[in-house]
Amino acid sequence: MRILNTESWTLAKRESATGYLFVVPWLIGFILLTLGPMLASLYFSFTEYNVISAPKWIGLNNYTRLFQDPLFWQSLKVTLYFAALSLPSGLILSFMLAVLLNQDVPGVRIWRTIYFLPSILSSVSVTLLWVILFNPQIGVVNQLLERIGIKGPGWLADPNWALPSLVIMGLWGIGQNMIIYLAGLQSVPRDLYDAAKVDGAASWQRFRFITIPMMSPVIFYNLVLGLIATFSYFAQAYIASGAVNSEVGGPVRSTLFYNLYLYQNAFRYNEMGYASAMAWVLFIIILLLTALVFRSSSLWVYYEGELRAKS
Amino acid sequence: MKHKLRWVLLCCLVLLIAAPVAAQEKVKVTIFVGLGTGTDPDQIPKQEALAEKFNASHDSIEIEFLIVPVEESRTRLLAMLAGGNAPQLVGPNGISTIAQFFDSWADITPFLEAEQFDTTDFYAPSLELNSYPEMNTGLPLGLFPSFVLYNIDMFDASGVDYPPSDYADTSWTMDELRNRAMLLTLDANGYDATMPEFDAENIVQWGFSDAWSDMRGVLTRWGAPGIGRPTSDDFKTATANSEEWIYGLQWFSDGMWVDHFIPNGEQQTGIESTGAAPLDSGQIAMFYTHTWYLGEALNDLPFEVGIAPAPFNQKGERIARIHADNFTIPETATNKEEAWEVMKWLTSPEQIVDVCLIYGCVPARASVADDFRAALQERFPDLDLNVAFEAINYLDAPNHESWVPEWGRVNDTLNYAYGLIASGENTDAKAVLDETNASLQQILDEYWAKQP
C-alpha cells in the first residue's frame, strides 16, 4: 500500500518535499532542544520558580523587579563597557592583521597559522593560561613590564583592571575574525587596485576607497556576530573571576557580566523565573542592537551587486 | 533415578530463572557526590571500594557513587531534581550546601522516630548542626574543627615563639597572633613588618592568612550576638554591622593595609597562582584552617608544621568555627527507605572511620574517636591532634554557614563587602558594614514580603 501518491506531484513539489525530508532531523532538534526550552523559559519568566517546587504565576513581577535591581544595572553596565572596549578593538585589530597577512611575504602561511591557532583552542584552557600570565606577582606580563621599569597592575585581581584584562585576553583570539577578513580581502578584484594605480591613487587611498568599501559587508558580518558574542560573554569571566578572586564576577563585581548574574540567579539563588526574565530582556537588547546595526548598514555597507541592480 | 534427575533439572531451571530476577530486585541507591569533598582523584577509588564493600554485604540494596566535578555539580543536581530524577542520597554536604538547597531535602525525623534510632553516640553539636526547627536533614557524618597550622621553620628562622597548644593558655589572643604575625612578615630584604625599613610593596612572606574562608567564616570568631549569622534570631533583621563584626573586619583590614601581615586580595592571588594551598606555598607562617586541609593539602611539605588552637577574641572568648558534613535524602527521591538504610550504614560505628578517612572529617560518633585519632595520627605523626579534637568544644553556633533567608544573595553581598576590604577599595570596616547591612535588610525585607 502506498501511503503517499507523489506521482501526480510537480517536480518543484517533489524537490520541496525532498528538501523538507532532509531538514526534518534538524527541525526536530530545533523544536525540541531550542524552541521548546525558549518557550518554556518565556513561561517561567512570568513565574516564581525555584526548580524544586512547581512554578507559580506572578505576571510581570520578575520584569518590574529586574529594573529595580541594582545588580541588574551593574551587570548591564559591565557588559556595555566590555562591548565598548572589546568590539571595536577586536574588529580593528583583526582587520589590520588580515591586511598584513594578505601581503605577499615569505612565510605568510606560517604567520597566518600562528595567529589563527589561539582561536581554535578551548576557551577554558586559554583563560586559565591568561590567569597565570596576568598573575600580579609571578605572571610573565608584569615581569616584562618590570624589565622596562613599569610596575604592572594587579590585572584580574584589581577591580580597575579586571575588565580591561579580559578585553586583552579576548584579543588573543581574533584569529577567527582575521580568517574571515582574509577570505574577504582575497576576493577583492585586483583590477580595481590596478585601475586605481593607473589613476595615481596612493596606497592609503587604495585602502580607504577600495579595500574598506569592498570589505564593508565582511566588517558588517563580523560586527553582528561580535555584538552577539559580546553580550553572550560568560565562560572566560566565570573562570577568570572564580579562579582569581573566588568570587564570581569579582573583584568587587567589576566583572559581573550580565550572563554571570543571570547564571547566579538561576543556579546559585535557584530563581529560574527571575533568570528567565533576564534572559528574555537580554534577547530583546541583542535584537534591538542587531536591528540598529542592520538599519545603519545602508549607510556604510557597500554591496556591489546591489548597486548594479539599482543602476 | 530419572524422576530424581527430572527434579534436579527442574530446580536448576528455577534457580536459573530466579537468580537474575533476584539480582534485578536489588534497589539502586545513587549517591551524588560533588557539592563538597569527594571529587579529588585519590578519593574516587576509595569511594568505589566503599561501594563494593556495601554491595557485597547487602542483598537487597546496591549503591553507586555518582561523582560529578565540583564546577558542574550544582547545575547537574538541579537538573536531576527538576527532571524528576533525583539521586537517593546527596553528600557529603557541608552546612552551606544544606542551606543552599534547603527546600530540597527530606526530613529524616519519621525514620528516626519509627526506629527509635539511638543518636546518643553522636556528638551533640553535630546533631544540632543538622537540625532545624522544621526538619532534620540527615545523620551526622563528620566534623571539621578549625585551628591554626603554622610553619615551624619560619618561626625558627625569625626566632619567634611557637603559638601555645594548650587551650588553657589565655595569652593566645588575636592581638598576640598579630604581634607574632608581624614579626614573621618579611620583605625581600629580610626586614619584618615591625621595622621602619620594612618595604610593604615587596613582601615575600606573610605572618597570617585566613584566605580559604568567606566573610561569615572570617567574622564568626569575634563574638557577635549572632556569632556567624548576620541576622537576628527571627531572621528578620540584618545585624551585619554589629560592634563585634566591625571590630573584626577592621582587624583584618588593618592586617592587610596597615600592619601588612595578612596578604591582601592581589597578594593572595599571587600566592595561590602556583596551585599550592596557602600554607604549602611556603609564603605563609600561620594559616587558619580546618581538618579537611589535612587530607587535601598537607602533603609532603618541605618544612615542619605545628598546630595551635583558635586564639581568644577581643572579648576573651574562644570561638573556633566548624564545618560539618552529612548525607541527605532529596524530598523527591524514590526509594527513600533504602536511602535511609545506606545513610545509617555510612554513619554506623563500623563504617564511619573509613568514610571519614576518605573525606577528611572527624567522625561524628564519640565511640570511634580513638580509632580515628589513631588512624589520623599514623598519617600525621608529628601533629598534636588533641588541638584539633578539642576545638569541637568551641564551635560557632549559630554557625557561619547556617541557613538564612536568601542564603546565596546574603552571602554574596557579604563576600562583596570583604572584597572591598581585600582589594583596598574601601578599608573602613564600619562604612563597609553599614552599607552592607542596609543591603542585607533589603534582601530580608523582600524575602519576608513574599512569605504567606
Side-chain angles (χ1 to χ4, degrees), chain A residues 270-286:
Chain A
N270 297 350
E271 291 207 45
M272 288 292 171
Y274 192 59
S276 298
M278 281 191 76
W280 278 94
V281 168
L282 178 66
F283 175 73
I284 291 163
I285 291 171
I286 294 176

Side-chain angles (χ1 to χ4, degrees), chain A residues 78 82 85-86 127 130-131 134 155-156 161-172 233-241 249-250 254-257 260:
Chain A
V78 167
F82 179 75
L85 288 179
S86 79
T127 306
W130 276 96
V131 164
F134 275 139
W155 298 111
L156 291 161
W161 277 95
L163 203 68
S165 304
L166 291 174
V167 173
I168 295 169
M169 195 192 292
L171 292 179
W172 203 54
Y233 196 74
F234 174 78
Q236 293 90 333
Y238 180 76
I239 295 160
S241 63
S254 59
T255 61
L256 185 67
F257 281 84
L260 277 188

Side-chain angles (χ1 to χ4, degrees), chain B residues 65-116:
Chain B
F65 282 92
L66 175 63
I67 297 163
V68 181
V70 177
E71 53 276 14
E72 64 182 70
S73 60
R74 293 183 59 84
T75 46
R76 182 90 175 264
L77 180 64
L78 277 176
M80 290 175 83
L81 293 174
N85 183 30
Q88 281 68 40
L89 276 177
V90 180
N93 302 310
I95 302 165
S96 60
T97 304
I98 308 258
Q100 287 172 71
F101 292 92
F102 196 69
D103 298 329
S104 318
W105 312 124
D107 181 10
I108 63 158
T109 310
F111 293 118
L112 292 169
E113 288 175 353
E115 293 183 22
Q116 293 187 315

Side-chain angles (χ1 to χ4, degrees), chain A residues 52 135 265 267-269 271, chain B residues 74 82 104 273 409 412 420:
Chain A
I52 298 146
N135 186 281
N265 275 293
F267 297 107
R268 182 163 163 83
Y269 312 145
E271 291 207 45
Chain B
R74 293 183 59 84
S104 318
S273 60
R409 283 185 200 281
D412 284 357
L420 288 172

